[in-house]
């Protein structure tokens, strides 16, 4: 039994006792029929008082008790509780207000949880690593990317001192500077993981409480390895281009100077002039290839697709390369299937096939043979250019598509090569959503294979 109900029953009991005492004390004082009247009056009064007690209990004591219980529940964080709303009771409005409050609290709580979840998933799924430390240096939070980058488990980082779990000096320096200057600091760090070096940019930012006291720092780590790699490629490219340009220019300048300064006989003059002509031709080829490459690499580069009869294209290319082949006593043979069609950029595809044919001629001895064959290959067209020339050593095979890479520099130069032909070729093939492979045995020959989709979407 609850205390309130017990109180109510005690009161009922005491009123009943009082009533009995009153009945026994007053009724004997009167006589005759007056005794009945007094008895009925007292009984009436008794029931009135009991009813009054019941009303007070029902309308005030019990609802207030429920309200108190509900508020206790709300305080302890259970926002789902509601009080029963008794519209007739005087406490009805209070009950309504408490329920309204409970509903608000429940909404607020739901929103807060949702925001926390959203914030958490943003931090957790960021492409950059995040670490939050307090002003003593204890780690409070790390995200998934951070764990991936630095390798230990999440549990190992949280609640540890950052310098106990991270041994990069630059991180320590960044944190020290953030705490010292109380402003964002940017640094770069290197990480070596599984023999690979990663470059990370770390940005440390202080965070403050409302009174502007420093409370700790947030560190964000971006992986800039790919960016660094591209930067290196760009630097190498500029260095290579400069180097490639220097040789012909030096020789043109040298021969021109000699011709200007010295009195030369006709024959020597002719020889020098032909060298100047050859070198300027090389320069022209190089610049043409460089322009081609930069055109292919432009963001808005697009191919002019059209339906191409492969037979015609191959025949035309062979016709163009014939002079060069004849000069070396070589045969160009067309083989494979006929009547193949595909959607491609005519001029670009011809450039690809010519590049491969010229390479086959250039890197084969006199009297060799070059075969150009096309095949149907379920949704793709396969074009093979094979020679029985000098071949390429297996260890350098993956490098031949790199810009300026040449197995034998002098030989390539003599044939007017720039070292850019295969990288341009690969670019064009990939722009057509195709692939290029090479198969080669030293002193036996090479086969370059390109696979091109018949349809372009
Ligand atoms: N058919 C081939 N046989 C042997 N070596 C080849 C062949 N094609 C290409 N190579 C090698 O690959 C290198 C790169 O070719 P490429 O990019 O066309 O440059 P280039 O012909 O201007 O030197 C060549 O220098 C050569 O060493
Ligand atoms: Mg070439």
């Amino acid at each position: 039994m609850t205390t309130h109900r017990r109180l109510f029953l005690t009161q009922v009991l005491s009123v009943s006792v009082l009533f009995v005492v009153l009945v026994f004390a007053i009724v004997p004082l009167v006589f005759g029929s007056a005794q009945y009247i007094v008895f009925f009056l007292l009984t009436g009064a008794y029931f009135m008082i009991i009813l009054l007690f019941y009303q007070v209990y029902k309308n005030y004591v019990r609802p207030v008790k429920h309200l108190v219980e509900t508020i206790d529940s709300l305080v302890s964080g259970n926002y789902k509780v509601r009080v029963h709303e008794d519209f007739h009771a005087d406490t009805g409005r209070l009950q309504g207000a408490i329920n309204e409050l409970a509903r608000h609290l429940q909404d607020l709580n739901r929103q807060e949880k949702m925001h926390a979840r959203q914030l958490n998933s943003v931090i957790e799924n960021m492409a950059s690593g995040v670490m939050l430390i307090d002003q003593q240096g204890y780690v409070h939070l790390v995200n998934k990317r951070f764990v991936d980058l630095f390798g230990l488990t999440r549990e190992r980082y949280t609640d540890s001192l950052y310098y106990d779990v991270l041994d990069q000096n630059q991180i320590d320096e960044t944190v020290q500077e953030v705490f010292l200057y109380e402003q964002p600091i940017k640094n770069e760090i290197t990480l070596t993981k599984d023999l690979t070096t990663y470059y990370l940019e770390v940005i440390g930012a202080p965070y403050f409480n409302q009174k502007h006291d420093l409370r700790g720092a947030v560190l964000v780590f971006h992986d800039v390895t790919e960016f660094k790699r591209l930067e290196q490629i760009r630097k190498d490219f500029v260095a290579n281009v400069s180097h490639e340009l220097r040789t012909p220019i030096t020789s043109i300048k040298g021969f021109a100077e000699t011709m200007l300064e010295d009195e030369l006989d006709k024959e020597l003059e002719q020889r020098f002039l032909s060298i100047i002509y050859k070198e300027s031709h090389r320069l022209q080829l190089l610049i043409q290839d460089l322009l081609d490459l930069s055109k292919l690499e432009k963001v808005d580069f697009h191919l002019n697709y059209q339906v191409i009869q492969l037979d015609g294209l191959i025949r035309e290319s062979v016709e163009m390369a014939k002079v060069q082949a004849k000069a070396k006593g070589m045969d160009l043979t067309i083989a494979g299937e006929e009547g193949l069609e595909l959607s491609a950029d005519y001029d670009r595809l011809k450039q690809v096939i010519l590049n491969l044919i010229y390479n086959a001629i250039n890197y084969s001895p006199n009297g060799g043979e070059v075969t150009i064959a096309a095949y149907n290959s379920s949704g793709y067209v396969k074009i093979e250019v094979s020679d029985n020339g000098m071949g390429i050593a297996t260890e350098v095979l993956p490098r031949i598509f790199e810009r300026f890479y040449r197995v034998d520099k002098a030989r390539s130069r003599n044939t007017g090569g720039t070292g850019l032909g295969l990288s341009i070729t690969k670019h064009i093939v990939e722009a057509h959503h195709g692939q290029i492979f090479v198969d080669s045995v030293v002193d036996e020959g090479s086969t370059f294979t390109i696979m091109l989709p018949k349809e372009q979407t």
Side-chain angles (χ1 to χ4, degrees):
M1 203 173 0
T2 62
T3 43
H4 293 86
R5 186 167 297 169
R6 208 177 306 134
L7 195 71
F8 173 66
L9 289 180
T10 338
Q11 278 164 348
V12 169
L13 200 71
S14 31
V15 172
S16 308
V17 170
L18 188 69
F19 168 73
V20 173
V21 170
L22 278 178
V23 167
F24 281 103
I26 297 173
V27 171
L29 295 180
V30 292
F31 303 100
S33 58
Q35 276 189 334
Y36 292 108
I37 294 169
V38 168
F39 179 76
F40 280 125
L41 280 176
L42 281 174
T43 313
Y46 168 75
F47 281 113
M48 290 282 284
I49 288 170
I50 295 293
L51 197 69
L52 204 66
F53 274 171
Y54 177 71
Q55 286 293 331
V56 169
Y57 174 75
K58 181 168 162 276
N59 288 336
Y60 297 97
V61 179
R62 209 168 50 183
V64 166
K65 186 182 146 260
H66 278 159
L67 286 174
V68 171
E69 281 168 4
T70 309
I71 290 172
D72 282 345
S73 271
L74 288 176
V75 168
S76 66
N78 175 13
Y79 303 119
K80 282 192 211 133
V81 285
R82 298 286 183 273
V83 274
H84 168 69
E85 287 185 35
D86 184 352
F87 295 104
H88 303 296
D90 295 338
T91 49
R93 274 193 50 205
L94 187 58
Q95 289 165 332
I98 295 275
N99 279 346
E100 188 66 24
L101 182 71
R103 259 192 295 279
H104 268 119
L105 282 173
Q106 195 177 6
D107 280 353
L108 276 177
N109 183 257
R110 202 181 294 137
Q111 277 174 18
E112 194 192 330
K113 275 189 182 150
M114 196 176 71
H115 286 156
R117 253 199 315 271
Q118 285 171 343
L119 189 65
N120 192 44
S121 51
V122 168
I123 293 176
E124 194 54 23
N125 297 303
M126 264 169 71
S128 308
V130 175
M131 176 174 76
L132 183 79
I133 58 172
D134 63 20
Q135 91 267 30
Q136 273 90 42
Y138 283 97
V139 179
H140 283 240
L141 180 149
V142 291
N143 70 351
K144 189 168 166 297
R145 183 78 182 114
F146 180 93
V147 174
D148 288 347
L149 283 171
F150 289 92
L152 298 183
T153 61
R154 191 182 294 257
E155 292 70 34
R156 191 68 191 80
Y157 290 114
T158 8
D159 298 329
S160 300
L161 282 163
Y162 75 89
Y163 44 79
D164 286 344
V165 280
L166 296 164
D167 51 12
Q168 287 74 19
N169 282 337
Q170 302 100 317
I171 296 183
D172 199 23
E173 276 167 28
T174 311
V175 174
Q176 300 299 333
E177 284 173 26
V178 168
F179 285 166
L180 185 64
Y181 302 116
E182 297 197 356
Q183 54 182 349
I185 301 289
K186 195 152 64 168
N187 265 322
E188 211 168 80
I189 68 173
T190 46
L191 266 185
T192 310
K193 206 170 63 182
D194 309 329
L195 298 174
T196 320
T197 305
Y198 292 90
Y199 296 88
L200 302 182
E201 181 188 71
V202 49
I203 300 171
Y207 68 89
F208 306 92
N209 65 8
Q210 275 159 345
K211 282 187 259 161
H212 284 283
D213 302 323
L214 181 75
R215 298 314 304 268
V218 190
L219 278 85
V220 180
F221 302 84
H222 304 294
D223 187 348
V224 290
T225 315
E226 182 59 13
F227 177 74
K228 281 260 169 195
R229 195 181 66 84
L230 294 176
E231 195 180 57
Q232 193 55 45
I233 289 178
R234 195 186 54 79
K235 281 184 188 162
D236 289 350
F237 184 67
V238 172
N240 276 329
V241 170
S242 321
H243 182 78
E244 295 291 330
L245 289 173
R246 201 175 57 194
T247 326
I249 286 176
T250 311
S251 106
I252 291 173
K253 190 174 169 229
F255 285 106
E257 253 168 19
T258 319
M259 285 176 72
L260 283 173
E261 283 164 11
D262 303 336
E263 201 55 43
L264 300 173
D265 63 44
K266 195 87 190 138
E267 197 189 330
L268 207 55
E269 208 174 80
Q270 277 299 315
R271 246 185 60 205
F272 282 10
L273 270 178
S274 77
I275 293 173
I276 290 175
Y277 177 77
K278 235 175 85 188
E279 292 297 311
S280 49
H281 180 64
R282 257 171 55 70
L283 269 182
Q284 197 186 19
L285 288 178
L286 185 64
I287 286 164
Q288 189 53 52
D289 277 357
L290 284 172
L291 284 175
D292 253 3
L293 206 56
S294 87
K295 212 187 281 171
L296 288 169
E297 284 182 341
K298 276 216 176 97
V299 191
D300 60 357
F301 168 74
H302 72 278
L303 295 162
N304 294 317
Y305 288 121
Q306 60 184 102
V307 178
I308 289 173
Q309 314 295 326
L310 202 52
D311 297 336
L313 189 141
I314 291 179
R315 234 178 295 123
E316 208 176 302
S317 312
V318 165
E319 209 55 50
M320 286 179 76
K322 229 168 203 159
V323 185
Q324 210 158 331
K326 217 170 189 174
K328 286 183 79 175
M330 292 175 72
D331 269 340
L332 299 181
T333 316
I334 298 176
E337 294 170 39
E338 285 179 12
L340 293 173
E341 269 186 9
L342 82 160
S343 173
D345 184 316
Y346 192 91
D347 293 332
R348 292 299 182 182
L349 187 55
K350 197 163 92 183
Q351 189 179 3
V352 163
I353 291 175
L354 271 175
N355 263 344
L356 295 179
I357 297 179
Y358 284 138
N359 275 350
I361 297 173
N362 288 338
Y363 303 107
S364 297
N366 290 356
E369 190 161 319
V370 177
T371 311
I372 304 101
Y375 302 95
N376 187 16
S377 172
S378 63
Y380 283 81
V381 165
K382 182 163 94 171
I383 305 170
E384 286 179 353
V385 178
S386 38
D387 62 63
N388 53 4
M390 56 192 286
I392 305 159
T394 320
E395 58 272 21
V396 299
L397 214 48
R399 298 202 57 192
I400 59 169
F401 295 100
E402 288 175 18
R403 295 154 167 184
F404 295 116
Y405 184 80
R406 284 167 285 197
V407 181
D408 179 346
K409 271 219 150 96
R411 188 186 179 97
S412 160
R413 190 162 291 146
N414 285 339
T415 60
T418 58
L420 293 174
L422 284 180
S423 55
I424 291 174
T425 300
K426 189 171 188 227
H427 246 296
I428 297 175
V429 170
E430 286 174 356
H432 279 88
H433 312 105
Q435 277 179 302
I436 180 161
F437 316 96
V438 54
D439 211 353
S440 187
V441 179
V442 172
D443 291 334
E444 282 185 20
S446 316
T447 300
F448 284 81
T449 307
I450 50 177
M451 297 286 282
L452 294 170
K454 285 184 200 162
E455 308 279 347
Q456 296 288 341
T457 44

